[in-house]
Amino acid sequence: MKETRDGMKADRLSKSASTDSYPLVLDIDAFKGEFSFDALFGNLVNEILPDEEKDSSEGHGILSGRKGVQGQLNPLFPEVDALLDLFKNSCTQLIDLRKKIDGKLNNLKKEVSVQDSKHRKTLAELEKGVDGLFDSFARLDSRISSVGQTAAKIGDHLQSADTQRENASQTIDLVKYLMEFNGSPGDLMELSPLFSDDSRVAEAASIAQKLRSFAEEDIGGQGMGGPSVAGNATASRGLEVAVANLQEYCNELENRLLSRFDAASQRRELSTMAECAKILSKFNRGTSAMQHYVGLRPMFDLGVMNADAKVVFGDQESQPNPSNVAKGLSKVYKEITDTVRREAATITAVFPSPNDVMSILVQRVLEDRVPNLLEKLLMKPSLVNPPSTEEGGLVLYLRLLAVAYEKTQELARDLHGVGCGDLDVEGLTESLFLPHKDIYIEYEQASLRQLYKAKMEELHAESQQSSESSGTIGRSKGASMTSSHQQISVTAVTEFVRWNEEAISRCTVFSSQPSTLAAYVRAVFNCLLDQVSIYITEGLERARNSLTEAAALRERYVIGTNIRGRVTSNAESAAAAGESSFRTFMVAVQCCGSSVAIVQQYFANSISRLLLPIDGAHAASCEEMASALSSAENAAYKGLQQCIETVMAEVERLLSTEQKATDYRSADDCIVPDHRPTIACTRVVAYSSRVLESAFTALDGLNKQAFLTELGNRLHKGLLNHWQKFTFNPSGGLRLKRDITEYGEYVRGFNAPSVDEKFESLGIMANVFIVAPESLSSLVEGTPSIRKDAQKFIQLRDDYKSEKLASKLGSIFG
């Protein structure tokens, strides 16, 4: 083992010693392309480094050898010397390579510097040459520009000379032609062939217009300057002859062209028509040709316009129906629009100024065909003697007017879309309806008044028919007294609102300005306020009349009482009439409230927003509404007062007839007291409950509270007055207290706290009849709320005199 290791070491040392004699390991080509240091390093050391397995086994041997031979150490990496020699040799070679490369680079830099100097010298020489070329080109451009300007001037002079020559030639020709027209007046036979050749009509027309313009200007100049010499006068007269002859020739030529235009139009030869139209445009800008073309359109024939009326009105002789008229107008106006659209295509292909022709065509439609139809449709009725509602009334005229206006506006928009030049279609359409719109609102108000009058007559007739069918039997008894009175109908008020809503919708159609619309809306809404105010006020007054008649019956029959104080059957009939009239008035009040609510809702939803454009109009309209309904409020207030009087009259009748003296003062006070309410109390409560059912249904809110409070106070006062007629013993006091409790429970349904307090005080007051005489002073002093009326009630005690209560209680009430 030792010999082997020594041999290997010697071999490696020999290799290391001879590294300088190694061939070149590194080559400059190794550094070209994709250079990899790892690959280069591997190529250098792979031959020196041992294999991995061999190295592993040798490693074990080394370790075992180190363990076996104590004190002798072997190197762990024997190849290190060889590698160091290799690396040193490689570094030497790399330095040599770098020196070689640096030498080459220096040589290249020198060569580049020499070439750069040569290149710079060449560029400098080229720049001098280019500058010289630029100077040459600038001189050449300046020369070319000068030559061009000279040529342009020569061209302008030549063109001017040619123009002057051409103008002179044309002037000579025009003078020659003018001399031909300067012959005898009306003599057009000896004119040049140009003026009679149909193939040169355009040229002849142009020359004739030039001659005519020249002659007329000359005559105008002579007239303004004045004929100072005879020569000028002669020339002027000669030109006047020429002007006359030219006018005659132009008229004859224009007629010939129009005839050719008509013939081509019948044959639908658009090219010939366009040629004629172009020539005719030289005569008054072609106005005669445009008007001639439009005037001959079949759409303006009398038969066609009469057919329009048949389409709109139909063959029926009855009054026109707005819905059918709307359909008819839509059909007629669509046919007109389609015809104009077809004509627009022809006009565009024929006329040099199609917009002017379209303007004339649309204007003719809106000034001839449409007005002819509207005159038959919209015959303005008289406000003094308007047509009856059976004939449609004023509202039929207004509905037809609205339909015609809307449909004609649609036609105007359609025609504007087809094309109408500079024509103000909207303004022309508005002018068709100005005679109707000027006093439109007066017709709207008159129509609403007419509808209201007719409705009132209808309701009155229905009421009369109902009265006659029910007969007159039993009216004397009062039960059917109010059957002949016309009741307030919420349906009728709803119909008033519907009329008004329809009128407002027409106002929006006819009023483009918000301020005008607001004024119209306010005027129309005031009509509704007047109608509803009159209607519900009259209805309430009729219901009040029934209350008044029932009161008269009561007064009449109360006299007919017998000796025992029993009211006769006629008085009971009068009471029944009063109850019926009470219900009738409450129904009227309920209908009145519903009607007012409908009007207020309509104002909030539809009217208020339309009044905003005018400052203060909304507030003023609210005041007008309150003022208009105030008469109804007054009638309702008076009627409710009468209702209270009616109820209290019957309550007093029941109390006077049903209340017995023994109810509160029995013959034997020792008998067990009766804790039931008296018959009179039961009858009064039953009657009041029955009759007030309609009041609870009809009234609401503050109106209901005020009515029931007033009725409760009157009932309290009436009972106090009633009980002042009786004398009470202790058992009667208990009976009275039971009645007061019954009345108190009944009025508690009124939800009136002040009334409840009064009946509670009455219940306490009844104790003055129950307690012993010696306890009265403590009762009165301990209950301050009854002190005011206690003295009057104490005087109703049956022992008031026997117990000398006046003297005993004098100190309390003194």
Side-chain angles (χ1 to χ4, degrees):
M1 290 294 293
K2 181 179 179 182
E3 292 177 354
T4 303
R5 287 195 296 270
D6 292 340
M8 292 177 62
K9 181 178 180 183
D11 184 61
R12 290 171 184 170
L13 290 174
S14 63
K15 287 184 180 181
S16 176
S18 62
T19 53
D20 292 339
S21 62
Y22 286 168
L24 182 63
V25 178
L26 299 176
D27 188 5
I28 193 170
D29 293 334
F31 296 94
K32 294 181 180 180
E34 295 180 357
F35 174 75
S36 173
F37 179 80
D38 293 339
L40 177 64
F41 184 80
N43 291 333
L44 291 174
V45 302
N46 282 340
E47 294 181 358
I48 298 175
L49 292 176
D51 293 338
E52 184 177 353
E53 294 180 358
K54 181 180 179 180
D55 184 68
S56 176
S57 62
E58 289 180 355
H60 287 289
I62 293 169
L63 291 175
S64 61
R66 291 178 64 187
K67 292 179 181 180
V69 182
Q70 185 176 6
Q72 185 178 359
L73 296 175
N74 292 326
L76 295 176
F77 191 46
E79 293 81 3
V80 66
D81 294 332
L83 290 174
L84 287 174
D85 293 339
L86 178 63
F87 290 157
K88 289 178 181 180
N89 184 44
S90 297
C91 288
T92 303
Q93 292 182 24
L94 286 173
I95 291 171
D96 293 340
L97 285 176
R98 186 181 66 184
K99 290 179 179 179
K100 291 178 182 180
I101 291 171
D102 289 342
K104 290 181 180 181
L105 287 176
N106 289 331
N107 293 335
L108 287 174
K109 287 180 181 180
K110 291 177 181 180
E111 291 178 3
V112 169
S113 178
V114 172
Q115 294 296 327
D116 183 63
S117 299
K118 292 180 180 180
H119 180 66
R120 291 179 181 275
K121 184 177 180 181
T122 303
L123 285 178
E125 293 174 355
L126 288 175
E127 287 179 357
K128 292 179 180 179
V130 170
D131 292 339
L133 287 175
F134 282 154
D135 293 338
S136 299
F137 279 125
R139 289 192 298 271
L140 179 61
D141 182 68
S142 177
R143 180 62 179 168
I144 291 173
S145 176
S146 176
V147 172
Q149 291 177 0
T150 303
K153 291 179 180 179
I154 294 173
D156 290 340
H157 288 304
L158 290 175
Q159 185 177 5
S160 177
D162 184 68
T163 301
Q164 291 177 3
R165 183 190 62 78
E166 185 178 352
N167 289 339
S169 176
Q170 291 179 357
T171 302
I172 292 172
D173 292 339
L174 289 175
V175 170
K176 183 181 69 174
Y177 294 142
L178 184 61
M179 294 302 294
E180 292 178 3
F181 281 100
N182 199 26
S184 301
D187 185 8
L188 303 177
M189 300 301 295
E190 298 181 358
L191 298 177
S192 298
L194 168 65
F195 298 103
S196 58
D197 188 356
D198 289 342
S199 63
R200 302 176 65 187
V201 173
E203 183 181 357
S206 178
I207 291 175
Q209 286 298 317
K210 290 180 180 179
L211 293 174
R212 182 179 172 186
S213 176
F214 172 75
E216 289 177 348
E217 289 178 0
D218 185 75
I219 291 175
Q222 292 291 337
M224 292 176 61
S228 59
V229 295
N232 287 340
T234 303
S236 178
R237 285 194 297 271
L239 290 179
E240 289 177 351
V241 172
V243 169
N245 288 336
L246 283 168
Q247 180 64 49
E248 182 179 353
Y249 173 76
C250 289
N251 290 339
E252 186 271 334
L253 180 59
E254 189 174 6
N255 291 333
R256 271 196 295 152
L257 289 171
L258 289 174
S259 298
R260 289 176 59 184
F261 184 88
D262 291 343
S265 176
Q266 293 176 1
R267 297 190 300 269
R268 297 292 298 171
E269 296 178 357
L270 298 183
S271 59
T272 304
M273 293 173 63
E275 180 182 357
C276 294
K278 184 177 180 180
I279 299 172
L280 286 168
S281 65
K282 301 180 183 300
F283 299 96
N284 297 325
R285 297 182 179 178
T287 303
S288 59
M290 299 176 189
Q291 294 176 345
H292 183 75
Y293 174 80
V294 172
L296 294 179
R297 295 305 89 203
M299 65 183 301
F300 300 114
D301 291 346
L302 183 60
V304 174
M305 292 192 286
N306 290 334
D308 291 345
K310 291 183 179 180
V311 172
V312 173
F313 294 103
D315 297 330
Q316 56 187 6
E317 297 181 357
S318 60
Q319 63 185 22
N321 184 292
S323 177
N324 295 334
V325 168
K327 295 178 182 178
L329 283 175
S330 297
K331 185 176 181 181
V332 170
Y333 286 166
K334 183 180 184 301
E335 186 271 331
I336 291 175
T337 304
D338 293 341
T339 303
V340 172
R341 186 175 287 108
R342 290 193 298 270
E343 292 292 345
T346 302
I347 290 170
T348 303
V350 170
F351 289 93
S353 302
N355 287 338
D356 295 337
V357 186
M358 289 300 299
S359 177
I360 296 174
L361 177 63
V362 173
Q363 184 176 2
R364 179 72 181 273
V365 169
L366 296 177
E367 289 183 350
D368 190 2
R369 187 164 177 179
V370 173
N372 181 72
L373 179 60
L374 294 179
E375 287 177 2
K376 298 176 182 178
L377 177 64
L378 303 176
M379 291 183 291
K380 189 184 298 184
S382 171
L383 291 175
V384 179
N385 296 311
S388 63
T389 53
E390 289 77 10
E391 299 173 343
L394 295 174
V395 70
L396 176 61
Y397 160 73
L398 292 170
R399 288 170 178 170
L400 294 177
L401 178 62
V403 167
Y405 184 79
E406 289 182 310
K407 295 300 179 182
T408 307
Q409 288 286 347
E410 292 178 6
L411 172 65
R413 289 191 291 269
D414 293 340
L415 293 177
H416 187 271
V418 173
C420 57
D422 297 331
L423 182 67
D424 183 10
V425 181
E426 182 178 355
L428 189 56
T429 305
E430 286 292 325
S431 66
L432 297 177
F433 293 90
L434 283 180
H436 301 277
K437 292 177 66 175
D438 287 343
I439 55 174
Y440 154 73
I441 196 63
E442 297 178 14
Y443 275 90
E444 201 69 76
Q445 292 172 312
S447 172
L448 292 173
R449 289 192 293 267
Q450 185 185 43
L451 290 172
Y452 177 77
K453 181 180 178 181
K455 186 65 178 179
M456 292 301 98
E457 293 175 353
E458 176 188 346
L459 293 176
H460 181 71
E462 291 177 358
S463 178
Q464 289 294 109
Q465 184 178 1
S466 175
S467 176
E468 292 174 1
S469 63
S470 63
T472 57
I473 300 176
R475 289 187 186 175
S476 59
K477 295 182 180 181
S480 60
M481 178 186 302
T482 60
S483 62
S484 61
H485 292 304
Q486 178 183 331
Q487 297 291 331
I488 297 176
S489 171
V490 179
T491 304
V493 175
T494 305
E495 191 169 1
F496 300 162
V497 173
R498 183 177 59 80
W499 297 338
N500 203 266
E501 193 171 11
E502 180 184 345
I504 294 296
S505 66
R506 284 192 292 268
C507 290
T508 58
V509 171
F510 292 119
S511 307
S512 57
Q513 298 297 326
S515 57
T516 305
L517 175 60
Y520 282 179
V521 168
R522 184 176 176 184
V524 171
F525 183 66
N526 284 341
C527 290
L528 174 65
L529 293 179
D530 293 340
Q531 292 172 356
V532 174
S533 174
I534 294 172
Y535 178 66
I536 62 178
T537 301
E538 290 180 350
L540 291 172
E541 291 295 342
R542 287 192 297 270
R544 281 188 61 210
N545 290 338
S546 65
L547 290 170
T548 303
E549 293 175 3
L553 282 177
R554 286 197 306 273
E555 295 296 331
R556 186 183 313 141
Y557 294 133
V558 163
I559 302 175
T561 55
N562 55 16
I563 299 175
R564 296 181 179 179
R566 303 279 303 175
V567 180
T568 62
S569 60
N570 288 335
E572 293 179 353
S573 298
E579 184 175 345
S580 176
S581 63
F582 181 94
R583 292 194 179 95
T584 299
F585 186 81
M586 286 301 171
V587 171
V589 170
Q590 183 178 13
C591 294
C592 176
S594 300
S595 301
V596 172
I598 290 173
V599 174
Q600 291 174 338
Q601 187 69 26
Y602 170 62
F603 176 80
N605 294 342
S606 303
I607 302 299
S608 59
R609 59 184 177 82
L610 298 176
L611 298 175
L612 296 178
I614 298 181
D615 294 337
H618 185 276
S621 189
C622 291
E623 293 179 0
E624 291 168 354
M625 181 164 53
S627 176
L629 299 177
S630 61
S631 59
E633 292 178 356
N634 293 333
Y637 175 77
K638 293 177 181 178
L640 291 175
Q641 292 292 333
Q642 288 181 274
C643 286
I644 293 175
E645 296 293 339
T646 300
V647 172
M648 290 308 303
E650 179 61 14
V651 168
E652 291 173 359
R653 186 187 74 84
L654 291 173
L655 290 174
S656 63
T657 57
E658 301 297 337
Q659 196 81 70
K660 307 296 190 298
T662 56
D663 289 342
Y664 300 124
R665 187 183 180 189
S666 58
D668 191 350
D669 196 26
C670 295
I671 300 176
V672 177
D674 190 353
H675 295 288
R676 295 174 302 174
T678 62
I679 295 176
C681 174
T682 303
R683 292 285 303 275
V684 168
V685 171
Y687 165 77
S688 300
S689 301
R690 183 178 66 252
V691 76
L692 287 182
E693 287 180 358
S694 57
F696 278 96
T697 303
L699 301 176
D700 58 1
L702 296 177
N703 293 331
K704 180 178 180 180
Q705 183 179 2
F707 175 78
L708 293 177
T709 300
E710 179 65 19
L711 180 60
N713 291 331
R714 289 290 302 277
L715 180 62
H716 174 266
K717 183 178 179 181
L719 290 173
L720 285 178
N721 294 334
H722 168 68
W723 288 327
Q724 293 291 328
K725 303 174 183 177
F726 296 91
T727 303
F728 298 85
N729 58 13
S731 60
L734 292 174
R735 195 80 182 274
L736 174 64
K737 193 174 183 67
R738 181 65 184 86
D739 283 355
I740 293 174
T741 302
E742 188 73 13
Y743 289 127
E745 290 178 356
Y746 168 67
V747 299
R748 197 170 291 114
F750 291 2
N751 292 325
S754 60
V755 176
D756 294 341
E757 291 177 1
K758 290 183 177 181
F759 277 89
E760 289 175 3
S761 298
L762 280 179
I764 299 173
M765 184 74 70
N767 290 328
V768 301
F769 302 121
I770 301 173
V771 300
E774 58 273 12
S775 301
L776 283 174
S777 59
S778 60
L779 175 64
V780 175
E781 291 176 349
T783 314
S785 60
I786 66 173
R787 183 186 297 270
K788 180 180 178 181
D789 298 321
Q791 186 176 7
K792 293 187 295 183
F793 273 78
I794 291 174
Q795 293 176 0
L796 300 178
R797 287 175 61 106
D798 60 349
D799 58 355
Y800 179 75
K801 293 181 179 180
S802 61
E803 294 291 337
K804 300 179 181 180
L805 295 178
S807 59
K808 293 180 180 180
L809 301 176
S811 61
I812 299 176
F813 300 108

